[in-house]
């Protein structure tokens, strides 16, 4: 079976969040099931610089009005189609925003081009390889099911659209519609029309053969206005075509036994190396060498991630003898709040601003617990790394956090099943209670160690998830075969 994955970012070429990790890991995880997955990505400068040798697959003299070339390359075990179109992708700045953090004004065209080229591949653009099924990610691939629907192969080529975060929807003025090259009929309630605008995610969710999201709980949550961000009605109509599949982690990149950033942590019997990592972490953050628990945060500093709750809790953490180490950047107000907490509590609260992959490994390896009080979290990856490294996750009961962490309540502790602490409601009160439970459990050394060991043996691989994607693809392709 041949599947084309359509992604606006893919690890290790270009990453701004969890989507890149999924797009990078899934093709490798699917290979044992006999699925050949290729990935089409925009040719951002970082992508073109990293891929090395390429083969030109096709000239595209008029890709939504722009001259482009489609290249093929192999990199880090991935088979990639790269759209080389300087007018659309040769920019300073990130994949979506310029150097000042503003969305590129032609993002509608940059990602319509991605979807258009993907569907052209389904229609035979590469004489040597054509996908049986198209799998797009997020609003950037939202037009894939639409272009497919109106193309020659549409009736017998299934499409899957995965929602990694429904908060980002790709909504643009109706004025762009004529330039998309879709028939007028597509500007309708059962197409891309969305409150008089053009909605890429909305159109994709309307027309994809199947919809997935990155955890079963998030799949339920987006049926509700609080999480559905205006699309809950549409999701409700398509609920029978919706499935939640939890992400795995790249267990070669996140392997405490071989992690070169840290002393090896993985020792199922004794967790021996954690002490050395903890010391290294204290030194790196200038924290005092005291006995209380070290809580860490590795995150975008945003309201979604509940960072205001962490700032509010800092004084209490210190009063109870704990310490707090934070790595991240984001909202200036939250950055200032974090900085103020660190200034109030030197040696107890410390923050490193910025993005630092090696340091994020040391934090998972050396901190006692990782705080993830997200208000919503489609899947979340940092709790999975925490499990693997024995850094006990303290998480809000939402989305993928609810699906991957087993709360240390009395029954779970007695059964030896607990892997972390979950709390609800996700507010100051709920979070405060969770922290008090964490302190109590941490004092009971045997109980804490048992949680760490259970956490470290939890399955956080891609195996289950890849199997679920494989069987979804098979179901859809069998549907084509039925007349
Ligand atoms: P989201 O995609 O919503 O940001 P996820 O938990 O799904 O959240 O993925 C975040 C990814 O980015 C994880 O791999 C995490 O380790 C990483 N990350 C977040 N902030 C930083 C940072 N400041 N430095 C290094 N890695 C970070």
């Amino acid at each position: 079976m041949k599947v084309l994955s359509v992604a606006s970012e893919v690890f290790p070429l270009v990453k701004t969040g969890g989507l890149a990790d999924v797009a990078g890991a899934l093709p490798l995880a699917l290979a044992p099931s006999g699925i050949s997955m290729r990935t089409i990505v925009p040719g951002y400068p970082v992508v073109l610089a990293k891929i090395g040798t390429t083969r030109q697959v096709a000239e595209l003299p008029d890709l939504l009005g722009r001259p482009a070339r489609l290249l093929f390359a192999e990199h880090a075990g991935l088979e990639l189609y790269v759209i080389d179109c300087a007018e659309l992708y040769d920019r300073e700045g990130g994949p979506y925003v310029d150097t000042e953090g503003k969305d590129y004004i032609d993002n509608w065209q940059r990602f319509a081009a991605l979807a258009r080229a993907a569907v052209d591949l389904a229609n035979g653009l590469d004489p040597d390889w054509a996908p049986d099924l198209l799998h797009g990610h997020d609003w950037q691939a939202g037009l894939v099911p639409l272009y497919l629907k109106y193309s020659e192969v549409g009736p017998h080529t299934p499409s899957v659209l995965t929602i990694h975060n429904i908060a980002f929807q790709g909504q643009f003025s109706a004025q762009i519609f004529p330039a998309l090259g879709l028939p007028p009929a597509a500007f309708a309630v059962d197409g891309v029309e969305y409150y008089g605008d053009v909605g890429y995610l909305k159109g994709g969710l309307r027309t994809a053969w199947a919809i997935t999201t990155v955890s079963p709980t998030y799949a339920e949550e987006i049926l509700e206005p609080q999480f559905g961000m205006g699309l809950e009605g549409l999701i409700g109509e398509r609920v029978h075509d919706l499935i939640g599949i939890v992400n795995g982690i790249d267990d070669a990149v996140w392997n405490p036994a071989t992690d070169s950033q840290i002393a090896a942590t993985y020792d199922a019997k004794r967790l021996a190396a954690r002490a050395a990592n903890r010391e290294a972490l204290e030194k790196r953050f200038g924290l005092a060498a005291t006995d209380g628990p070290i809580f860490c945060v590795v995150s975008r500093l945003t309201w979604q991630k509940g960072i205001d709750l962490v700032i509010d809790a800092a004084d209490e953490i210190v009063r109870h003898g704990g310490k707090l180490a934070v790595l991240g950047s984001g909202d200036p107000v939250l950055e200032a709040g974090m900085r103020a907490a660190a200034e109030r509590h030197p040696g107890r609260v410390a923050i490193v601003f910025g993005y630092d992959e090696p340091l994020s490994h040391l934090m998972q390896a050396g901190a006692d617990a990782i705080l993830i009080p997200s208000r919503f979290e489609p899947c979340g990856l940092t709790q999975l790394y925490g499990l693997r490294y024995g850094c006990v996750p303290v998480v809000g009961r939402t989305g993928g956090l609810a699906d991957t962490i087993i709360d240390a309540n009395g029954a779970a502790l007695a059964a030896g099943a607990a892997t972390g602490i979950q709390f609800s409601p996700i507010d100051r009160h709920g979070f405060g209670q969770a922290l008090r439970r964490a302190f109590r459990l941490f004092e009971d050394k045997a109980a804490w160690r048992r949680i760490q060991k259970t956490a470290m043996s939890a399955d956080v691989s891609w195996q289950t998830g890849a199997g679920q994607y494989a069987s979804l693809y098979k179901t859809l392709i069998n549907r084509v075969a039925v007349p």
Side-chain angles (χ1 to χ4, degrees), residues 15 17-18 21 298-300 305 327-328 354-356 380-382 385:
K15 167 173 167 177
D21 287 331
V298 180
S299 181
R300 296 185 282 120
K305 301 288 182 181
L327 169 63
Y355 191 92
D356 187 333
L381 291 171
T382 55
Y385 306 146

Side-chain angles (χ1 to χ4, degrees), residues 455-473:
M456 290 171 91
S457 60
D459 180 11
V460 291
S461 75
W462 262 108
Q463 206 173 347
T464 308
Q468 289 171 298
Y469 280 113
S471 65
L472 173 66
Y473 298 157

